[in-house]
Amino acid sequence: MSFLRNLFKAAPTPTEDGAFHPSPLALKLATASKTDYDGGAYANPYRGGDKRVLMICTEERNMTMANGKKFSTGNHPVEMGLPMLHLLAAGFQIDIVTPTGAPAVIEDWAMPREDEAVMKLYRDYADAFANPGSLADFVANTMTDDALYVGVYLPGGHGAMLGLPENEDLGKLLRWAHKQDLFTLAICHGPAALLAAGDGPSFIYNGYKIAAFPDAVDKQTPMIGYMPGHMPWKFGEKLNALGVEIINSKADATCHIDRRLVSGASPKAANAFGRLAAEALLKNVR
């Protein structure tokens, strides 16, 4: 097996901190140097300048897989970046927080380095990612009925499964956003963070339909060396048990909106998800 993995360049690549990022084969199949970003033009963007979206990023990098090996992950730069570009182009401000205010971790190996719009975004927001706000501080001090927020954004990347699904502050934020009738935006593995809202029959997303990265596809990715082992747990399975239906079976461009929850399936959905989210927010503020 190791001979075939080396022959087809399907062996995960070791990192300096003892983890692994995707193999050359996996990077070739699952990432691209440019995105399908459509330019983010909006005929009538919001011009008030005061409506904001709170983006909650993971501050954790390494996911311990079922076999004990570590996968180097974080926030996926395309799934996070393209929706950011759309929201900004539509006239909304974006505030970035992590659970404790530690730097947001980005999957650098997935960065589309020949995409000028995405690369400029990450240059412009480099300081904000390095010095984000604290979710704990936001919940304690800013989460008020008159806050100028129109949405909460949970970007993708397997890092959304690290520290966020069990974060009590995130649970408070999601329940507050739901009560305030704000939009919640989640793409790919981002919906894993919805688990922070609690469990049982009172789960606020019980009965919702979403697009998300399928557990079945995560099960296949170790074969091409995308990850160094199988997932330690399945977020789709947990959401299903709480009454959430995932409408897509492939890691495709599926997007969906159910009430105030906007979702997307994978990096392939990032552009359409960003536009759907921006248009939903624009319709709401008008």
Side-chain angles (χ1 to χ4, degrees), residues 180-236:
Q180 295 290 114
D181 213 21
L182 306 186
F183 279 86
T184 298
L185 321 173
I187 184 171
C188 199
H189 288 80
L194 298 175
L195 292 165
D199 55 20
S202 62
F203 184 60
I204 58 176
Y205 305 110
N206 183 9
Y208 278 66
K209 295 181 179 181
I210 66 169
F213 199 88
D215 290 341
V217 178
D218 263 333
K219 185 177 180 179
Q220 297 170 0
T221 54
M223 291 189 295
I224 61 170
Y226 189 92
M227 296 182 292
H230 287 290
M231 296 291 290
W233 58 281
K234 301 177 179 67
F235 80 90

Side-chain angles (χ1 to χ4, degrees), residues 3-251:
F3 170 76
L4 290 175
R5 277 180 169 266
N6 290 330
L7 178 64
F8 292 104
K9 298 184 178 180
T13 303
T15 63
E16 293 182 355
D17 62 353
F20 295 86
H21 68 61
S23 68
L25 175 62
L27 291 177
K28 183 176 180 179
L29 295 174
T31 66
S33 60
K34 290 186 177 181
T35 74
D36 63 347
Y37 177 53
D38 64 18
Y42 289 86
N44 190 18
Y46 177 70
R47 301 190 186 279
D50 59 343
K51 300 299 185 183
R52 316 184 76 84
V53 173
L54 187 71
M55 184 166 75
I56 299 90
C57 297
T58 185
E59 60 191 30
E60 299 186 38
R61 181 176 301 279
N62 292 335
M63 171 184 281
T64 302
M65 311 308 291
N67 62 6
K69 294 183 179 180
K70 297 183 184 297
F71 174 46
S72 180
T73 182
N75 302 282
H76 193 285
V78 174
E79 295 166 355
M80 183 163 64
L82 266 60
M84 285 183 70
L85 288 169
H86 277 284
L87 293 169
L88 292 167
F92 300 103
Q93 302 292 317
I94 299 175
D95 294 334
I96 300 170
V97 298
T98 60
T100 70
V105 174
I106 298 171
E107 290 176 330
D108 188 64
W109 46 261
M111 188 69 71
R113 301 196 181 280
E114 296 179 19
D115 194 304
E116 294 181 6
V118 176
M119 295 307 293
K120 182 179 186 302
L121 174 77
Y122 280 99
R123 289 194 299 270
D124 291 346
Y125 275 79
D127 184 66
F129 284 123
N131 301 282
S134 161
L135 175 60
D137 288 345
F138 182 92
V139 169
N141 302 307
T142 311
M143 203 173 68
T144 59
D145 290 347
D146 59 351
L148 295 174
Y149 288 86
V150 293
V152 171
Y153 176 24
L154 304 168
H158 285 79
M161 298 174 65
L162 300 176
L164 298 184
E166 64 274 14
N167 186 280
E168 293 184 2
D169 290 317
L170 179 55
K172 294 175 183 177
L173 175 72
L174 292 173
R175 291 189 291 272
W176 170 77
H178 189 75
K179 183 179 179 181
Q180 295 290 114
D181 213 21
L182 306 186
F183 279 86
T184 298
L185 321 173
I187 184 171
C188 199
H189 288 80
L194 298 175
L195 292 165
D199 55 20
S202 62
F203 184 60
I204 58 176
Y205 305 110
N206 183 9
Y208 278 66
K209 295 181 179 181
I210 66 169
F213 199 88
D215 290 341
V217 178
D218 263 333
K219 185 177 180 179
Q220 297 170 0
T221 54
M223 291 189 295
I224 61 170
Y226 189 92
M227 296 182 292
H230 287 290
M231 296 291 290
W233 58 281
K234 301 177 179 67
F235 80 90
E237 184 177 273
K238 288 183 177 292
L239 286 171
N240 290 158
L242 293 172
V244 177
E245 179 184 346
I246 297 175
I247 62 172
N248 56 293
S249 59
K250 298 180 180 179

